[in-house]
Amino acid sequence: MMADKKAAALLLEVCAAASTLVAEQESIRKEAFRDGIRGAAKVIRNRQAAPGSALSELFTGDGTNPDLFADELAKIAASTAVTVNDLRKLRQKVNAAPEGSDEIDDEIRRIYYSVMSDRNPTSADILPPGSPSRSLDVATFVIEKILREGWWTLGNGGVNTGDKPVGKVGLTPAQSSKPQTAATAPLTLLSALILTLIESSKAR
């Protein structure tokens, strides 16, 4: 009986140690990702990216300001976790906006990197320069990277070409999604994404 108690106690200690190790690895991995983003910002700011590399391709496009992009990465590396309340506030802001804005862009980037840090991100997951709330290309990049196995649609809600766009986003093939609309196509997709993230968070 005494041997059984000792074995049980030892097993509990091993389980506790394993749980602590897993938690520490998660923290270490997230900090490593933040360090990677900081390193990318430094490389871009100093123009040290090797030609043909993933980082080089991110800021060699026409009209791209490498310093602004480096500043964006540095801000992301210092950002905090995103809460459901943050998502709700941002969704209201997106739905009310007549057009995209830098403020919305900053919040979308924060959400994006918060999601990416929970995975095993690489340099390929660094957002390209541009405005998620103004560029459909950047908005779809954000959505497709976050979704992985999900889906999205974007169309027109009526017969008139002037009608607002309508978008849907699902994190999984089976997930249903409420149609969302906003002033522009990028904002519409972002609104649909944020709503899906909110609904997914409530279901956990």
Side-chain angles (χ1 to χ4, degrees), residues 10-191:
L10 180 60
L11 183 59
L12 288 174
E13 288 181 13
V14 170
C15 290
S19 297
T20 300
L21 180 60
V22 170
E24 288 177 350
Q25 286 179 336
E26 181 77 4
S27 177
I28 290 171
R29 183 172 58 77
K30 289 184 178 182
E31 185 55 38
F33 181 50
R34 285 192 288 268
D35 283 343
I37 295 177
R38 294 187 193 103
K42 183 177 180 180
V43 167
I44 291 170
R45 190 174 286 116
N46 295 334
R47 314 297 198 272
Q48 294 174 331
S53 68
L55 287 179
S56 175
E57 292 173 359
L58 284 174
F59 60 88
T60 54
D62 294 338
T64 299
N65 186 322
D67 294 318
L68 288 179
F69 186 36
D71 290 343
E72 289 176 4
L73 293 182
K75 284 191 294 184
I76 291 302
S79 66
T80 56
V82 177
T83 67
V84 174
N85 193 43
D86 292 335
L87 293 173
R88 290 194 179 104
K89 289 180 179 178
L90 179 58
R91 182 166 170 260
Q92 291 176 347
K93 193 178 300 181
V94 167
N95 289 345
E99 59 184 13
S101 69
D102 293 343
E103 184 180 4
I104 292 175
D105 288 339
D106 286 343
E107 288 299 314
I108 292 298
R109 292 187 189 98
R110 181 181 164 212
I111 291 170
Y112 175 81
Y113 283 110
S114 177
V115 172
M116 290 299 110
S117 69
D118 286 332
R119 301 177 182 175
N120 292 303
T122 68
S123 61
D125 295 314
I126 295 177
L127 276 176
S131 168
S133 66
R134 301 183 185 95
S135 166
L136 192 56
D137 287 340
V138 181
T140 53
F141 181 97
V142 168
I143 291 170
E144 290 174 357
K145 283 288 187 177
I146 288 178
L147 296 184
R148 291 195 297 188
E149 298 178 355
W151 56 273
W152 62 270
T153 64
L154 180 67
N156 191 289
V159 295
N160 299 316
T161 56
D163 289 341
K164 287 185 177 180
V166 176
K168 289 181 170 185
V169 170
L171 294 182
T172 66
Q175 183 179 19
S176 61
S177 175
K178 298 176 183 177
Q180 298 298 299
T181 186
T184 66
L187 288 175
T188 294
L189 277 181
L190 295 176
S191 177

